[in-house]
């Protein structure tokens, strides 16, 4: 099957090279808000990936029947219905995590990642590649969430998934938790540093200069 | 009255939408390269939040809240799970109507920030305003004040970030940090500043 490499490409491309969070600036809100602990980050990642994949599949299946002028409304309604289902499932089986996620599950509806992918990809492709693209983007998003959630929980509380990893100084260990890690600013700093790290590793992602200093004009040209 | 003023300050500074609650970050980062464009975005968001939050409050309490259909003999009917879809519909309609009104009567204002208006339908800050209104069960007056306050807080933050970033265009940054990376670091530093407003909540 010649298509297999193509599908593999569509699936792995968004993991690092076209990562939705660090390169496309999509879906940042929830990426920062839910990463105080690894458990909420993982729950959010799974919910988003499921919604994104299903929405891409449904929208791409009916893509020839959606009138162009009202397509945004149609897409939002499909996504909102899926989010309601996920929200009810979380409230029923994972009440504690659902409370921790607060309104951010509902906000998957307006997560630019979901609409961005359905608008840019699923609308023009048959269901199979559309769902694979959605899955790849969901996994790329999850990767960022898990990395940031892991760092924040490990250094903020000395725990991973609620289990002690670094013994705390209060309890006779050596680790003093950095409570700043649990506050809002550290999420911004970590994501900024992550973007820096990814772009140093993959220099082709760096943004062009907006202004070239006079001394470097010749060098730049 | 003091209660509403405290709520306004709280929504604008203590619970600042982009910097403390991480809401509306996509537009916050994407459209903050210049301070004047940022101001247009802020005004548009304030207007839409100020309209949709009270509007959604009316719809939620009249149609969707548990027991809202008691007058029709169905006191146990609970439609609150439909809130999400209803709110999105109201927001999309409100944005559309606002755009038409501006286009018809205030073409200058429409030209100034017309580009941002359709985008606001999928802005998480707008939807979150309505969801918080339900979660914290505000009254109608409170929800209007909360919507306006959140909008003002967003405007303050986005204009400040826009001004900082337009100066940074001339800075010699490491290649990997240019653009998005430094914007996150700046937002983090501003977020540190806004975190200190949390002290204000205690003294109000």
């Amino acid at each position: 099957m010649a298509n297999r490499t193509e599908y593999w490409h569509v699936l792995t491309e968004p993991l690092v090279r076209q990562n939705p969070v660090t390169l496309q600036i999509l879906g940042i809100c929830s990426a920062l808000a839910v990463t105080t602990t690894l458990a909420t980050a993982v729950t959010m990642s799974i919910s988003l990936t499921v919604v994104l994949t299903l929405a891409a599949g449904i929208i791409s299946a009916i893509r020839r029947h959606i009138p162009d002028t009202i397509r945004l409304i149609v897409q939002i309604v499909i996504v909102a219905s899926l989010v309601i289902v996920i929200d009810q499932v979380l409230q029923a089986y994972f009440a504690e995590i659902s409370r921790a996620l607060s309104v951010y599950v509902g906000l998957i509806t307006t997560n630019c990642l979901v609409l961005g992918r359905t608008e840019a990809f699923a609308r023009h492709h048959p269901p199979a590649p559309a769902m694979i693209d959605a899955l790849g983007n969901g996994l790329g998003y999850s990767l960022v969430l898990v990395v940031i959630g892991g760092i924040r929980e490990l250094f903020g509380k000395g725990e991973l998934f609620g289990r002690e990893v670094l013994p705390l100084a209060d309890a006779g260990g050596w680790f003093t938790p950095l409570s700043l890690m649990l506050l809002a600013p550290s999420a911004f700093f970590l994501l900024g540093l992550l973007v820096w790290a990814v772009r140093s590793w993959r220099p082709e992602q760096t943004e062009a200069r907006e202004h070239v200093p006079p001394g470097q004009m010749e060098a730049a040209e | 009255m003091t209660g509403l003023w405290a709520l306004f300050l709280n929504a604008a500074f203590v619970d600042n939408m982009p910097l403390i609650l991480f809401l509306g970050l996509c537009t916050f980062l994407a459209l903050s390269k210049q301070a004047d464009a940022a101001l247009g975005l802020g005004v548009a968001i304030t207007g839409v939040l100020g309209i949709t939050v009270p509007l959604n409050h009316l719809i939620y309490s009249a149609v969707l809240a548990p027991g809202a259909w008691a007058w029709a003999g169905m006191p146990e009917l609970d439609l609150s799970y439909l809130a999400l879809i209803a709110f999105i519909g109201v927001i999309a309609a409100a944005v559309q109507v606002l755009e038409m009104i501006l286009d018809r009567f205030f073409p200058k204002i429409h030209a100034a920030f017309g580009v941002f208006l359709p985008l606001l339908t999928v802005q998480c800050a707008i939807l979150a305003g309505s969801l918080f209104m339900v979660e914290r069960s505000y009254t109608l007056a409170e929800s209007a004040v909360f919507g306006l306050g959140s909008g003002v807080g967003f405007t303050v933050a986005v204009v400040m970030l826009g001004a900082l970033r337009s100066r940074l265009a001339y800075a010699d940054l490491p290649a990997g940090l240019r653009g998005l990376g430094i914007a996150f670091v700046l937002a983090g530093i501003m977020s540190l500043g806004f975190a200190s407003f949390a002290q204000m909540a205690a003294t109000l």
Side-chain angles (χ1 to χ4, degrees):
Chain A
M1 203 170 121
N3 271 336
R4 183 165 294 170
T5 49
E6 204 174 301
Y7 283 163
W8 183 245
H9 184 71
V10 170
L11 180 68
T12 53
E13 190 76 346
L15 287 185
V16 177
R17 285 169 48 92
Q18 289 287 329
N19 188 287
V21 180
T22 61
L23 187 65
Q24 304 177 40
I25 330 191
L26 294 176
I28 301 171
C29 326
S30 48
L32 293 176
V34 300
T35 47
T36 42
T37 64
L38 202 50
T40 51
V42 169
T43 317
M44 187 69 188
S45 309
I46 296 172
S47 315
L48 185 112
T49 310
V50 169
V51 169
L52 183 56
T53 313
L54 291 178
I58 295 172
I59 287 165
S60 124
I62 60 168
R63 68 187 186 284
R64 291 186 210 288
H65 306 285
I66 305 178
D68 225 26
T69 42
I70 58 158
R71 62 167 196 278
L72 272 181
I73 293 282
V74 174
Q75 289 172 1
I76 289 181
V77 170
I78 291 173
V79 174
S81 320
L82 289 167
V83 170
I84 289 176
V85 173
I86 293 276
D87 195 23
Q88 300 280 325
V89 169
L90 283 181
Q91 281 179 18
Y93 296 104
F94 305 95
E96 206 173 300
I97 290 179
S98 167
R99 263 195 300 281
L101 287 173
S102 161
V103 299
Y104 291 97
V105 174
L107 290 178
I108 296 178
T109 321
T110 50
N111 194 312
C112 7
L113 176 55
V114 178
L115 272 183
R117 289 330 289 176
T118 56
E119 181 75 356
F121 198 91
R123 222 153 51 81
H124 312 290
H125 293 82
M131 287 177 79
I132 290 173
D133 171 75
L135 184 64
N137 275 286
L139 291 177
Y141 171 89
S142 311
L143 193 66
V144 174
L145 251 72
V146 168
V147 168
I148 293 184
I151 294 177
R152 285 181 76 181
E153 191 177 358
L154 182 64
F155 292 109
K157 287 187 196 157
E159 297 173 340
L160 282 177
F161 284 115
R163 291 225 192 86
E164 188 176 67
V165 176
L166 305 173
L168 295 183
D170 300 347
W174 53 271
F175 182 69
T176 312
L178 307 162
S179 49
L180 180 67
M181 277 290 169
L182 300 177
L183 297 178
S186 74
F188 281 114
F189 290 138
L190 283 176
L191 195 51
L193 294 178
L194 188 68
V195 168
W196 190 7
V198 169
R199 289 185 180 180
S200 307
W201 178 34
R202 298 264 178 198
E204 71 273 13
Q205 293 187 359
T206 51
E207 290 172 37
R209 272 172 192 280
E210 288 168 42
H211 173 82
V212 182
Q216 294 174 14
M217 272 301 189
E218 295 82 30
E221 283 161 12
Chain B
M1 199 57 212
T2 47
L4 287 183
W5 179 238
L7 182 69
F8 181 84
L9 288 181
N10 201 52
F13 294 106
V14 181
D15 275 347
N16 186 280
M17 276 214 170
L19 293 174
I20 303 296
L21 299 174
F22 307 112
L23 293 168
L25 276 183
C26 307
T27 34
F28 181 68
L29 292 170
L31 294 176
S32 61
K33 288 194 173 153
Q34 244 85 46
D36 46 353
L39 184 63
L41 173 74
V43 173
I45 286 191
T46 312
V48 173
L49 264 176
I51 293 170
T52 57
V53 177
L55 202 60
N56 277 332
H57 177 84
L58 286 179
I59 289 181
Y60 184 80
S61 53
V63 182
L64 299 171
W69 289 88
W71 56 270
M74 290 180 282
E76 72 279 10
L77 190 63
D78 176 7
L79 292 177
S80 56
Y81 67 93
L82 284 178
L84 203 55
I85 258 183
F87 289 171
I88 273 286
V90 169
I91 289 168
V95 168
Q96 202 84 68
V97 170
L98 191 68
E99 197 183 0
M100 282 190 235
I101 293 176
L102 285 180
D103 195 19
R104 173 72 183 78
F105 296 108
F106 308 99
K108 268 196 179 150
I109 302 180
H110 181 253
F113 57 80
V115 258
F116 304 122
L117 272 177
L119 279 180
L120 295 186
T121 312
V122 288
Q123 236 271 8
C124 26
I126 309 273
L127 180 63
S130 297
L131 291 177
F132 277 130
M133 174 271 293
V134 169
E135 203 179 75
R136 301 174 185 169
S137 36
Y138 287 137
T139 63
L140 183 60
E142 280 173 344
S143 56
V145 169
F146 172 74
L148 287 176
S150 309
V152 169
F154 192 99
T155 312
V156 170
V158 82
V159 170
M160 275 163 53
L161 184 66
L164 285 171
R165 284 182 76 180
S166 61
R167 291 301 295 258
L168 269 182
Y170 304 106
D172 192 16
L173 296 167
L177 209 51
R178 229 177 280 150
L180 187 58
I182 193 68
F184 275 125
V185 175
L186 280 179
I189 296 171
M190 285 169 61
S191 173
L192 268 182
F194 273 78
S196 59
F197 281 122
Q199 299 292 328
M200 200 172 80
T203 56
L204 272 173

